Every structure is written in structure tokens, then in C-alpha cells.
mmCIF file of all heavy atoms in Angstrom:
data_model
loop_
_atom_site.group_PDB
_atom_site.id
_atom_site.type_symbol
_atom_site.label_atom_id
_atom_site.label_comp_id
_atom_site.label_asym_id
_atom_site.label_seq_id
_atom_site.Cartn_x
_atom_site.Cartn_y
_atom_site.Cartn_z
ATOM 1 N N ALA A 1 31.369 74.099 -56.190
ATOM 2 C CA ALA A 1 32.614 73.697 -55.479
ATOM 3 C C ALA A 1 32.432 72.367 -54.749
ATOM 4 O O ALA A 1 33.260 71.509 -54.812
ATOM 5 C CB ALA A 1 33.087 74.779 -54.537
ATOM 6 N N ARG A 2 31.307 72.274 -54.053
ATOM 7 C CA ARG A 2 31.016 71.027 -53.277
ATOM 8 C C ARG A 2 30.799 69.819 -54.185
ATOM 9 O O ARG A 2 31.310 68.709 -53.940
ATOM 10 C CB ARG A 2 29.851 71.306 -52.344
ATOM 11 C CG ARG A 2 29.488 70.045 -51.458
ATOM 12 C CD ARG A 2 30.609 69.764 -50.454
ATOM 13 N NE ARG A 2 30.362 68.589 -49.711
ATOM 14 C CZ ARG A 2 29.737 68.672 -48.504
ATOM 15 N NH1 ARG A 2 29.253 69.846 -48.050
ATOM 16 N NH2 ARG A 2 29.489 67.596 -47.839
ATOM 17 N N PHE A 3 30.039 70.076 -55.281
ATOM 18 C CA PHE A 3 29.755 68.981 -56.231
ATOM 19 C C PHE A 3 31.078 68.467 -56.786
ATOM 20 O O PHE A 3 31.319 67.248 -56.926
ATOM 21 C CB PHE A 3 28.838 69.508 -57.309
ATOM 22 C CG PHE A 3 28.274 68.474 -58.314
ATOM 23 C CD1 PHE A 3 28.281 67.151 -57.979
ATOM 24 C CD2 PHE A 3 27.849 68.898 -59.549
ATOM 25 C CE1 PHE A 3 27.821 66.182 -58.858
ATOM 26 C CE2 PHE A 3 27.374 67.944 -60.469
ATOM 27 C CZ PHE A 3 27.290 66.592 -60.104
ATOM 28 N N ASP A 4 31.934 69.388 -57.197
ATOM 29 C CA ASP A 4 33.232 69.057 -57.736
ATOM 30 C C ASP A 4 34.111 68.270 -56.766
ATOM 31 O O ASP A 4 34.682 67.245 -57.105
ATOM 32 C CB ASP A 4 33.953 70.343 -58.176
ATOM 33 C CG ASP A 4 35.326 70.041 -58.835
ATOM 34 O OD1 ASP A 4 35.376 69.549 -59.890
ATOM 35 O OD2 ASP A 4 36.341 70.284 -58.126
ATOM 36 N N MET A 5 34.106 68.665 -55.479
ATOM 37 C CA MET A 5 34.861 67.984 -54.459
ATOM 38 C C MET A 5 34.367 66.613 -54.222
ATOM 39 O O MET A 5 35.169 65.709 -54.034
ATOM 40 C CB MET A 5 34.886 68.807 -53.175
ATOM 41 C CG MET A 5 35.641 68.199 -52.048
ATOM 42 S SD MET A 5 35.673 69.211 -50.529
ATOM 43 C CE MET A 5 33.877 69.222 -50.128
ATOM 44 N N GLU A 6 33.028 66.408 -54.175
ATOM 45 C CA GLU A 6 32.516 65.106 -53.867
ATOM 46 C C GLU A 6 32.770 64.147 -55.048
ATOM 47 O O GLU A 6 33.067 62.955 -54.835
ATOM 48 C CB GLU A 6 31.012 65.213 -53.625
ATOM 49 C CG GLU A 6 30.629 65.972 -52.430
ATOM 50 C CD GLU A 6 31.185 65.370 -51.090
ATOM 51 O OE1 GLU A 6 31.568 64.233 -51.075
ATOM 52 O OE2 GLU A 6 31.263 66.166 -50.101
ATOM 53 N N VAL A 7 32.731 64.653 -56.255
ATOM 54 C CA VAL A 7 33.045 63.798 -57.430
ATOM 55 C C VAL A 7 34.578 63.435 -57.349
ATOM 56 O O VAL A 7 34.892 62.263 -57.654
ATOM 57 C CB VAL A 7 32.687 64.508 -58.731
ATOM 58 C CG1 VAL A 7 33.206 63.685 -59.964
ATOM 59 C CG2 VAL A 7 31.183 64.666 -58.889
ATOM 60 N N ASP A 8 35.400 64.395 -57.004
ATOM 61 C CA ASP A 8 36.830 64.078 -56.903
ATOM 62 C C ASP A 8 37.077 63.006 -55.810
ATOM 63 O O ASP A 8 37.885 62.114 -56.065
ATOM 64 C CB ASP A 8 37.552 65.341 -56.435
ATOM 65 C CG ASP A 8 37.737 66.384 -57.549
ATOM 66 O OD1 ASP A 8 37.551 65.981 -58.718
ATOM 67 O OD2 ASP A 8 38.059 67.588 -57.249
ATOM 68 N N THR A 9 36.395 63.070 -54.725
ATOM 69 C CA THR A 9 36.564 62.095 -53.647
ATOM 70 C C THR A 9 36.158 60.696 -54.087
ATOM 71 O O THR A 9 36.806 59.715 -53.807
ATOM 72 C CB THR A 9 35.754 62.539 -52.396
ATOM 73 O OG1 THR A 9 36.181 63.833 -52.005
ATOM 74 C CG2 THR A 9 35.986 61.544 -51.226
ATOM 75 N N LEU A 10 35.001 60.624 -54.737
ATOM 76 C CA LEU A 10 34.526 59.333 -55.242
ATOM 77 C C LEU A 10 35.456 58.813 -56.335
ATOM 78 O O LEU A 10 35.698 57.564 -56.377
ATOM 79 C CB LEU A 10 33.112 59.484 -55.762
ATOM 80 C CG LEU A 10 32.429 58.232 -56.333
ATOM 81 C CD1 LEU A 10 32.285 57.156 -55.261
ATOM 82 C CD2 LEU A 10 31.083 58.536 -56.903
ATOM 83 N N PHE A 11 35.904 59.662 -57.209
ATOM 84 C CA PHE A 11 36.792 59.330 -58.280
ATOM 85 C C PHE A 11 38.095 58.691 -57.654
ATOM 86 O O PHE A 11 38.540 57.648 -58.115
ATOM 87 C CB PHE A 11 37.154 60.560 -59.064
ATOM 88 C CG PHE A 11 38.044 60.317 -60.252
ATOM 89 C CD1 PHE A 11 37.766 59.401 -61.203
ATOM 90 C CD2 PHE A 11 39.184 61.166 -60.493
ATOM 91 C CE1 PHE A 11 38.572 59.186 -62.324
ATOM 92 C CE2 PHE A 11 39.991 61.025 -61.553
ATOM 93 C CZ PHE A 11 39.692 60.041 -62.469
ATOM 94 N N ALA A 12 38.653 59.336 -56.649
ATOM 95 C CA ALA A 12 39.873 58.774 -56.037
ATOM 96 C C ALA A 12 39.624 57.386 -55.399
ATOM 97 O O ALA A 12 40.473 56.440 -55.545
ATOM 98 C CB ALA A 12 40.390 59.749 -54.948
ATOM 99 N N LEU A 13 38.475 57.226 -54.736
ATOM 100 C CA LEU A 13 38.247 55.941 -54.110
ATOM 101 C C LEU A 13 38.005 54.828 -55.195
ATOM 102 O O LEU A 13 38.560 53.713 -55.037
ATOM 103 C CB LEU A 13 36.937 56.043 -53.288
ATOM 104 C CG LEU A 13 36.512 54.716 -52.576
ATOM 105 C CD1 LEU A 13 37.549 54.183 -51.740
ATOM 106 C CD2 LEU A 13 35.227 54.943 -51.819
ATOM 107 N N VAL A 14 37.302 55.164 -56.255
ATOM 108 C CA VAL A 14 37.087 54.144 -57.332
ATOM 109 C C VAL A 14 38.406 53.785 -57.980
ATOM 110 O O VAL A 14 38.692 52.626 -58.242
ATOM 111 C CB VAL A 14 36.080 54.685 -58.366
ATOM 112 C CG1 VAL A 14 36.041 53.821 -59.635
ATOM 113 C CG2 VAL A 14 34.675 54.831 -57.742
ATOM 114 N N LEU A 15 39.277 54.804 -58.248
ATOM 115 C CA LEU A 15 40.565 54.496 -58.810
ATOM 116 C C LEU A 15 41.418 53.571 -57.929
ATOM 117 O O LEU A 15 42.031 52.653 -58.406
ATOM 118 C CB LEU A 15 41.329 55.813 -59.134
ATOM 119 C CG LEU A 15 40.812 56.621 -60.259
ATOM 120 C CD1 LEU A 15 41.607 57.912 -60.344
ATOM 121 C CD2 LEU A 15 40.871 55.930 -61.541
ATOM 122 N N ALA A 16 41.399 53.852 -56.609
ATOM 123 C CA ALA A 16 42.168 53.057 -55.670
ATOM 124 C C ALA A 16 41.649 51.595 -55.667
ATOM 125 O O ALA A 16 42.423 50.695 -55.686
ATOM 126 C CB ALA A 16 42.091 53.667 -54.275
ATOM 127 N N LEU A 17 40.338 51.418 -55.616
ATOM 128 C CA LEU A 17 39.774 50.154 -55.590
ATOM 129 C C LEU A 17 40.074 49.384 -56.939
ATOM 130 O O LEU A 17 40.317 48.160 -56.928
ATOM 131 C CB LEU A 17 38.282 50.198 -55.360
ATOM 132 C CG LEU A 17 37.835 50.597 -53.969
ATOM 133 C CD1 LEU A 17 36.299 50.901 -53.960
ATOM 134 C CD2 LEU A 17 38.141 49.505 -52.993
ATOM 135 N N LEU A 18 40.012 50.119 -58.043
ATOM 136 C CA LEU A 18 40.290 49.532 -59.311
ATOM 137 C C LEU A 18 41.721 49.064 -59.459
ATOM 138 O O LEU A 18 42.022 48.038 -59.986
ATOM 139 C CB LEU A 18 39.897 50.494 -60.449
ATOM 140 C CG LEU A 18 39.926 49.987 -61.883
ATOM 141 C CD1 LEU A 18 39.042 48.700 -61.981
ATOM 142 C CD2 LEU A 18 39.442 51.043 -62.863
ATOM 143 N N ALA A 19 42.643 49.906 -58.949
ATOM 144 C CA ALA A 19 44.069 49.546 -59.021
ATOM 145 C C ALA A 19 44.318 48.283 -58.149
ATOM 146 O O ALA A 19 45.148 47.416 -58.546
ATOM 147 C CB ALA A 19 44.945 50.701 -58.438
ATOM 148 N N TRP A 20 43.620 48.190 -56.981
ATOM 149 C CA TRP A 20 43.747 46.963 -56.185
ATOM 150 C C TRP A 20 43.142 45.759 -56.858
ATOM 151 O O TRP A 20 43.682 44.681 -56.900
ATOM 152 C CB TRP A 20 43.117 47.252 -54.816
ATOM 153 C CG TRP A 20 43.084 46.040 -53.929
ATOM 154 C CD1 TRP A 20 44.091 45.229 -53.612
ATOM 155 C CD2 TRP A 20 41.859 45.471 -53.303
ATOM 156 N NE1 TRP A 20 43.629 44.176 -52.785
ATOM 157 C CE2 TRP A 20 42.269 44.322 -52.607
ATOM 158 C CE3 TRP A 20 40.538 45.891 -53.311
ATOM 159 C CZ2 TRP A 20 41.397 43.615 -51.829
ATOM 160 C CZ3 TRP A 20 39.671 45.126 -52.549
ATOM 161 C CH2 TRP A 20 40.050 44.009 -51.879
ATOM 162 N N LYS A 21 41.935 45.926 -57.411
ATOM 163 C CA LYS A 21 41.203 44.821 -57.988
ATOM 164 C C LYS A 21 41.950 44.233 -59.204
ATOM 165 O O LYS A 21 41.866 43.020 -59.452
ATOM 166 C CB LYS A 21 39.765 45.339 -58.390
ATOM 167 C CG LYS A 21 38.783 44.248 -58.642
ATOM 168 C CD LYS A 21 38.549 43.907 -60.153
ATOM 169 C CE LYS A 21 37.473 42.892 -60.274
ATOM 170 N NZ LYS A 21 37.371 42.457 -61.706
ATOM 171 N N THR A 22 42.525 45.106 -59.970
ATOM 172 C CA THR A 22 43.189 44.697 -61.209
ATOM 173 C C THR A 22 44.644 44.194 -60.917
ATOM 174 O O THR A 22 45.360 43.858 -61.838
ATOM 175 C CB THR A 22 43.197 45.743 -62.222
ATOM 176 O OG1 THR A 22 43.883 46.926 -61.704
ATOM 177 C CG2 THR A 22 41.818 46.117 -62.692
ATOM 178 N N GLY A 23 45.087 44.283 -59.709
ATOM 179 C CA GLY A 23 46.459 43.795 -59.360
ATOM 180 C C GLY A 23 47.535 44.783 -59.672
ATOM 181 O O GLY A 23 48.727 44.447 -59.604
ATOM 182 N N GLN A 24 47.156 46.037 -59.958
ATOM 183 C CA GLN A 24 48.215 47.079 -60.226
ATOM 184 C C GLN A 24 48.807 47.606 -58.982
ATOM 185 O O GLN A 24 49.877 48.255 -59.036
ATOM 186 C CB GLN A 24 47.568 48.214 -61.050
ATOM 187 C CG GLN A 24 46.862 47.776 -62.329
ATOM 188 C CD GLN A 24 47.789 47.090 -63.211
ATOM 189 O OE1 GLN A 24 48.873 47.627 -63.618
ATOM 190 N NE2 GLN A 24 47.394 45.874 -63.679
ATOM 191 N N ALA A 25 48.165 47.360 -57.835
ATOM 192 C CA ALA A 25 48.718 47.793 -56.533
ATOM 193 C C ALA A 25 48.149 46.883 -55.447
ATOM 194 O O ALA A 25 47.087 46.257 -55.625
ATOM 195 C CB ALA A 25 48.376 49.268 -56.320
ATOM 196 N N GLY A 26 48.822 46.910 -54.287
ATOM 197 C CA GLY A 26 48.336 46.135 -53.130
ATOM 198 C C GLY A 26 47.186 46.858 -52.429
ATOM 199 O O GLY A 26 46.790 47.995 -52.793
ATOM 200 N N LEU A 27 46.733 46.245 -51.370
ATOM 201 C CA LEU A 27 45.594 46.813 -50.588
ATOM 202 C C LEU A 27 46.000 48.146 -50.031
ATOM 203 O O LEU A 27 45.144 49.029 -49.743
ATOM 204 C CB LEU A 27 45.215 45.873 -49.485
ATOM 205 C CG LEU A 27 43.941 46.206 -48.662
ATOM 206 C CD1 LEU A 27 42.702 46.292 -49.574
ATOM 207 C CD2 LEU A 27 43.681 45.188 -47.567
ATOM 208 N N TRP A 28 47.258 48.444 -49.878
ATOM 209 C CA TRP A 28 47.776 49.647 -49.314
ATOM 210 C C TRP A 28 47.322 50.887 -50.108
ATOM 211 O O TRP A 28 47.328 52.004 -49.651
ATOM 212 C CB TRP A 28 49.284 49.716 -49.176
ATOM 213 C CG TRP A 28 49.966 49.193 -50.475
ATOM 214 C CD1 TRP A 28 50.454 48.024 -50.705
ATOM 215 C CD2 TRP A 28 50.270 50.031 -51.615
ATOM 216 N NE1 TRP A 28 50.998 47.944 -52.008
ATOM 217 C CE2 TRP A 28 50.923 49.144 -52.532
ATOM 218 C CE3 TRP A 28 50.050 51.372 -51.985
ATOM 219 C CZ2 TRP A 28 51.299 49.648 -53.776
ATOM 220 C CZ3 TRP A 28 50.398 51.828 -53.186
ATOM 221 C CH2 TRP A 28 51.050 50.963 -54.103
ATOM 222 N N VAL A 29 46.982 50.625 -51.389
ATOM 223 C CA VAL A 29 46.612 51.725 -52.277
ATOM 224 C C VAL A 29 45.373 52.465 -51.750
ATOM 225 O O VAL A 29 45.085 53.652 -52.105
ATOM 226 C CB VAL A 29 46.440 51.294 -53.729
ATOM 227 C CG1 VAL A 29 45.049 50.529 -53.893
ATOM 228 C CG2 VAL A 29 46.418 52.430 -54.683
ATOM 229 N N LEU A 30 44.589 51.847 -50.926
ATOM 230 C CA LEU A 30 43.365 52.486 -50.293
ATOM 231 C C LEU A 30 43.802 53.651 -49.456
ATOM 232 O O LEU A 30 42.894 54.503 -49.210
ATOM 233 C CB LEU A 30 42.564 51.483 -49.553
ATOM 234 C CG LEU A 30 41.948 50.331 -50.357
ATOM 235 C CD1 LEU A 30 41.078 49.450 -49.404
ATOM 236 C CD2 LEU A 30 41.073 50.839 -51.482
ATOM 237 N N ALA A 31 44.990 53.763 -49.101
ATOM 238 C CA ALA A 31 45.503 54.937 -48.333
ATOM 239 C C ALA A 31 45.352 56.211 -49.202
ATOM 240 O O ALA A 31 45.382 57.260 -48.673
ATOM 241 C CB ALA A 31 46.915 54.711 -47.874
ATOM 242 N N LEU A 32 45.276 56.000 -50.517
ATOM 243 C CA LEU A 32 45.137 57.172 -51.404
ATOM 244 C C LEU A 32 43.689 57.415 -51.770
ATOM 245 O O LEU A 32 43.405 58.444 -52.386
ATOM 246 C CB LEU A 32 45.899 56.935 -52.758
ATOM 247 C CG LEU A 32 47.444 56.929 -52.611
ATOM 248 C CD1 LEU A 32 48.082 56.646 -53.946
ATOM 249 C CD2 LEU A 32 47.959 58.213 -52.086
ATOM 250 N N GLY A 33 42.814 56.488 -51.457
ATOM 251 C CA GLY A 33 41.398 56.650 -51.782
ATOM 252 C C GLY A 33 40.446 56.950 -50.699
ATOM 253 O O GLY A 33 39.333 57.469 -50.899
ATOM 254 N N LEU A 34 40.876 56.638 -49.466
ATOM 255 C CA LEU A 34 39.899 56.780 -48.350
ATOM 256 C C LEU A 34 40.117 58.011 -47.402
ATOM 257 O O LEU A 34 39.203 58.235 -46.628
ATOM 258 C CB LEU A 34 40.051 55.518 -47.434
ATOM 259 C CG LEU A 34 39.357 54.262 -47.985
ATOM 260 C CD1 LEU A 34 39.725 53.054 -47.081
ATOM 261 C CD2 LEU A 34 37.869 54.391 -48.101
ATOM 262 N N PRO A 35 41.208 58.735 -47.465
ATOM 263 C CA PRO A 35 41.469 59.788 -46.473
ATOM 264 C C PRO A 35 40.379 60.706 -46.214
ATOM 265 O O PRO A 35 39.989 61.017 -45.032
ATOM 266 C CB PRO A 35 42.730 60.488 -46.903
ATOM 267 C CG PRO A 35 43.452 59.438 -47.700
ATOM 268 C CD PRO A 35 42.384 58.659 -48.423
ATOM 269 N N ARG A 36 39.758 61.229 -47.266
ATOM 270 C CA ARG A 36 38.685 62.297 -46.962
ATOM 271 C C ARG A 36 37.480 61.650 -46.320
ATOM 272 O O ARG A 36 36.836 62.244 -45.482
ATOM 273 C CB ARG A 36 38.254 62.977 -48.248
ATOM 274 C CG ARG A 36 37.217 64.039 -47.910
ATOM 275 C CD ARG A 36 36.877 64.986 -49.092
ATOM 276 N NE ARG A 36 35.862 65.933 -48.667
ATOM 277 C CZ ARG A 36 34.601 65.663 -48.742
ATOM 278 N NH1 ARG A 36 34.143 64.554 -49.241
ATOM 279 N NH2 ARG A 36 33.701 66.584 -48.324
ATOM 280 N N TYR A 37 37.106 60.417 -46.728
ATOM 281 C CA TYR A 37 36.006 59.758 -46.087
ATOM 282 C C TYR A 37 36.302 59.509 -44.614
ATOM 283 O O TYR A 37 35.400 59.676 -43.775
ATOM 284 C CB TYR A 37 35.648 58.464 -46.821
ATOM 285 C CG TYR A 37 35.012 58.709 -48.209
ATOM 286 C CD1 TYR A 37 35.667 58.337 -49.316
ATOM 287 C CD2 TYR A 37 33.753 59.241 -48.297
ATOM 288 C CE1 TYR A 37 35.080 58.484 -50.596
ATOM 289 C CE2 TYR A 37 33.154 59.440 -49.557
ATOM 290 C CZ TYR A 37 33.849 59.061 -50.667
ATOM 291 O OH TYR A 37 33.231 59.252 -51.896
ATOM 292 N N LEU A 38 37.487 59.115 -44.301
ATOM 293 C CA LEU A 38 37.889 58.936 -42.983
ATOM 294 C C LEU A 38 37.900 60.239 -42.132
ATOM 295 O O LEU A 38 37.473 60.325 -40.970
ATOM 296 C CB LEU A 38 39.285 58.303 -42.822
ATOM 297 C CG LEU A 38 39.433 56.888 -43.390
ATOM 298 C CD1 LEU A 38 40.879 56.363 -43.426
ATOM 299 C CD2 LEU A 38 38.509 55.888 -42.687
ATOM 300 N N PHE A 39 38.294 61.328 -42.849
ATOM 301 C CA PHE A 39 38.262 62.637 -42.227
ATOM 302 C C PHE A 39 36.840 63.048 -41.902
ATOM 303 O O PHE A 39 36.571 63.656 -40.809
ATOM 304 C CB PHE A 39 38.993 63.650 -43.170
ATOM 305 C CG PHE A 39 39.133 65.020 -42.626
ATOM 306 C CD1 PHE A 39 40.067 65.323 -41.706
ATOM 307 C CD2 PHE A 39 38.277 66.068 -43.034
ATOM 308 C CE1 PHE A 39 40.270 66.555 -41.150
ATOM 309 C CE2 PHE A 39 38.447 67.308 -42.469
ATOM 310 C CZ PHE A 39 39.451 67.571 -41.521
ATOM 311 N N VAL A 40 35.963 62.818 -42.809
ATOM 312 C CA VAL A 40 34.507 63.161 -42.517
ATOM 313 C C VAL A 40 33.940 62.356 -41.391
ATOM 314 O O VAL A 40 33.226 62.837 -40.553
ATOM 315 C CB VAL A 40 33.659 62.954 -43.841
ATOM 316 C CG1 VAL A 40 32.182 63.141 -43.562
ATOM 317 C CG2 VAL A 40 34.127 63.954 -44.892
ATOM 318 N N MET A 41 34.292 61.069 -41.373
ATOM 319 C CA MET A 41 33.863 60.186 -40.250
ATOM 320 C C MET A 41 34.388 60.707 -38.983
ATOM 321 O O MET A 41 33.718 60.689 -37.898
ATOM 322 C CB MET A 41 34.258 58.767 -40.522
ATOM 323 C CG MET A 41 33.521 58.113 -41.681
ATOM 324 S SD MET A 41 34.138 56.411 -42.004
ATOM 325 C CE MET A 41 33.808 55.597 -40.453
ATOM 326 N N ALA A 42 35.706 61.122 -38.944
ATOM 327 C CA ALA A 42 36.268 61.648 -37.703
ATOM 328 C C ALA A 42 35.510 62.877 -37.232
ATOM 329 O O ALA A 42 35.398 63.092 -36.013
ATOM 330 C CB ALA A 42 37.723 61.948 -37.911
ATOM 331 N N GLY A 43 35.038 63.645 -38.219
ATOM 332 C CA GLY A 43 34.289 64.895 -37.839
ATOM 333 C C GLY A 43 33.013 64.601 -37.060
ATOM 334 O O GLY A 43 32.468 65.449 -36.323
ATOM 335 N N THR A 44 32.408 63.390 -37.262
ATOM 336 C CA THR A 44 31.256 63.065 -36.532
ATOM 337 C C THR A 44 31.541 62.769 -35.068
ATOM 338 O O THR A 44 30.622 62.802 -34.267
ATOM 339 C CB THR A 44 30.524 61.849 -37.167
ATOM 340 O OG1 THR A 44 31.412 60.670 -37.078
ATOM 341 C CG2 THR A 44 30.184 62.131 -38.631
ATOM 342 N N ILE A 45 32.818 62.402 -34.823
ATOM 343 C CA ILE A 45 33.206 62.071 -33.451
ATOM 344 C C ILE A 45 33.809 63.363 -32.816
ATOM 345 O O ILE A 45 33.558 63.641 -31.602
ATOM 346 C CB ILE A 45 34.261 60.972 -33.426
ATOM 347 C CG1 ILE A 45 33.716 59.723 -34.111
ATOM 348 C CG2 ILE A 45 34.797 60.670 -32.013
ATOM 349 C CD1 ILE A 45 34.705 58.598 -34.237
ATOM 350 N N TRP A 46 34.609 64.125 -33.561
ATOM 351 C CA TRP A 46 35.211 65.344 -33.064
ATOM 352 C C TRP A 46 34.686 66.508 -33.899
ATOM 353 O O TRP A 46 35.221 66.840 -34.957
ATOM 354 C CB TRP A 46 36.748 65.296 -33.133
ATOM 355 C CG TRP A 46 37.303 64.213 -32.245
ATOM 356 C CD1 TRP A 46 37.386 64.185 -30.930
ATOM 357 C CD2 TRP A 46 37.926 63.065 -32.728
ATOM 358 N NE1 TRP A 46 38.019 63.086 -30.489
ATOM 359 C CE2 TRP A 46 38.359 62.313 -31.603
ATOM 360 C CE3 TRP A 46 38.187 62.493 -33.977
ATOM 361 C CZ2 TRP A 46 38.975 61.073 -31.684
ATOM 362 C CZ3 TRP A 46 38.790 61.236 -34.114
ATOM 363 C CH2 TRP A 46 39.179 60.571 -32.938
ATOM 364 N N PRO A 47 33.610 67.149 -33.432
ATOM 365 C CA PRO A 47 32.986 68.176 -34.211
ATOM 366 C C PRO A 47 33.927 69.382 -34.611
ATOM 367 O O PRO A 47 33.665 70.040 -35.623
ATOM 368 C CB PRO A 47 31.863 68.733 -33.324
ATOM 369 C CG PRO A 47 31.572 67.563 -32.396
ATOM 370 C CD PRO A 47 32.909 66.876 -32.219
ATOM 371 N N ARG A 48 35.006 69.514 -33.907
ATOM 372 C CA ARG A 48 35.959 70.590 -34.246
ATOM 373 C C ARG A 48 36.553 70.404 -35.595
ATOM 374 O O ARG A 48 37.107 71.322 -36.266
ATOM 375 C CB ARG A 48 37.059 70.746 -33.196
ATOM 376 C CG ARG A 48 36.530 71.214 -31.838
ATOM 377 C CD ARG A 48 37.605 71.437 -30.878
ATOM 378 N NE ARG A 48 38.505 72.613 -31.280
ATOM 379 C CZ ARG A 48 39.529 72.947 -30.591
ATOM 380 N NH1 ARG A 48 39.965 72.310 -29.534
ATOM 381 N NH2 ARG A 48 40.275 74.022 -31.006
#
């Protein structure tokens, strides 16, 4: 389950970066690729 989730998260980030790099979407598309990484980073500040 964890392996699957981590691959999903990386997959979403790569797709968002690729959409931006190829001009298919603006920089705002990273809002679809970064949330879980930001959530994990927030967990290092707020352990709850």
C-alpha cells in the first residue's frame, strides 16, 4: 500500500511538471502535483 501510494505521488508530480514544461498548462498546475509532499513537510512542523 505504501509503495503504491509513493509511486502515485511521484507520478502526479512528474505529470504536473511535464504539463508545465510542454506548455500544456501554466505553473499553477503544480497545485495538482505537490499537495501530498507539502502535507508531509507540514507534518514535520506539526506532528499531529
